[in-house]
Amino acid sequence: MAQGTVTLKTSRLTLRKFNIEDAPEMFENWANDDEVTHYLTWAPHGNVDITKEILQAWIDQYDNPFTYNWAIVLNETNDLIGNISASKYDPKVKAVCVSFCEGKDWWGNEYMPEALRAVISYLVHEENIERVFVSFDKDNENSIKTVEKAEMKKEGVLRKGGFNNQGIVDSIIYSILKDEVTY
């Protein structure tokens, strides 16, 4: 039976459910940043009230055991640095799509690959997911590096297959299968 968003820990990170008190830090650390949202499907939040509305909607979904949406917190400082989620659950093939976002002050520290590996491991070992995949703008080099560090394999490019803050874009697809996960 699905457990949904449970707390996950790595050596440097805690992945936990969001709470409404996270809104100011989420807004400041990534949700209002044009550079962070450049390749995303949502515009930067204009004020913290927008962030609160989004968080409340996410929090309301936690009762659903197929909701997977984590706040990423640094163990050392307790800073909220980003989020990672799994959605588009397909029960027929036991697949989910993962997406992630991290504040630019933490880029280059290998936090997101660490969070992604923790989520993938949880999904395949605890939630019986057979396929974890991602889809994002093919020009998003940071995301390519992140998924490759999590041992995901490139499947291909969907020409003009996505839409984000840049408009209609080519989407790249990466995945990892349960029997390929080595962590």
Side-chain angles (χ1 to χ4, degrees):
M1 179 160 173
Q3 302 173 75
T5 308
V6 300
T7 300
L8 305 175
K9 292 191 178 265
T10 71
S11 61
R12 301 184 302 163
L13 306 171
T14 298
L15 282 64
R16 60 160 173 82
K17 290 180 179 179
F18 279 97
N19 58 65
I20 201 68
E21 292 80 20
D22 291 326
E25 198 171 7
M26 177 178 164
F27 176 78
E28 283 299 318
N29 289 350
W30 76 87
N32 73 339
D33 192 317
D34 289 334
E35 196 172 349
V36 171
T37 60
H38 182 81
Y39 292 112
L40 300 181
T41 58
W42 49 271
H45 297 180
N47 59 61
V48 74
D49 290 334
I50 295 169
T51 307
K52 283 181 183 175
E53 287 178 31
I54 298 294
L55 278 181
Q56 190 59 60
W58 290 353
I59 291 164
D60 291 346
Q61 295 173 359
Y62 282 134
D63 288 338
N64 179 339
F66 293 100
T67 292
Y68 305 100
N69 191 2
W70 290 272
I72 303 170
V73 178
L74 286 182
N75 292 337
E76 187 175 315
T77 62
N78 209 36
D79 288 334
L80 176 63
I81 66 167
N83 78 290
I84 187 166
S85 63
S87 61
K88 301 178 186 173
Y89 173 66
D90 184 339
K92 290 180 184 172
V93 293
K94 296 184 180 177
V96 294
C97 180
V98 173
S99 56
F100 46 83
C101 181
E102 179 180 43
K104 70 181 176 197
D105 289 348
W106 296 275
W107 290 356
N109 289 296
E110 306 293 320
Y111 295 128
M112 193 54 72
E114 185 174 328
L116 180 58
R117 285 189 298 271
V119 166
I120 290 170
S121 180
Y122 168 70
L123 291 170
V124 302
H125 297 303
E126 302 299 325
E127 296 291 271
N128 200 30
I129 299 297
E130 294 290 333
R131 179 175 185 266
V132 179
F133 69 98
V134 295
S135 174
F136 52 84
D137 189 319
K138 74 167 181 59
D139 293 331
N140 188 338
E141 293 178 17
N142 287 337
S143 288
I144 291 171
K145 291 175 190 172
T146 294
V147 300
E148 288 179 349
K149 288 174 183 171
E151 301 174 18
M152 298 183 91
K153 293 178 175 60
K154 181 180 175 183
E155 292 187 353
V157 175
L158 299 175
R159 296 177 300 149
K160 302 215 181 288
F163 186 86
N164 63 26
N165 290 325
Q166 305 312 299
I168 298 171
V169 298
D170 294 345
S171 292
I172 195 165
I173 309 282
Y174 277 77
S175 71
I176 190 165
L177 304 178
K178 184 176 190 170
D179 63 359
E180 297 171 336
V181 176
T182 62
Y183 41 85

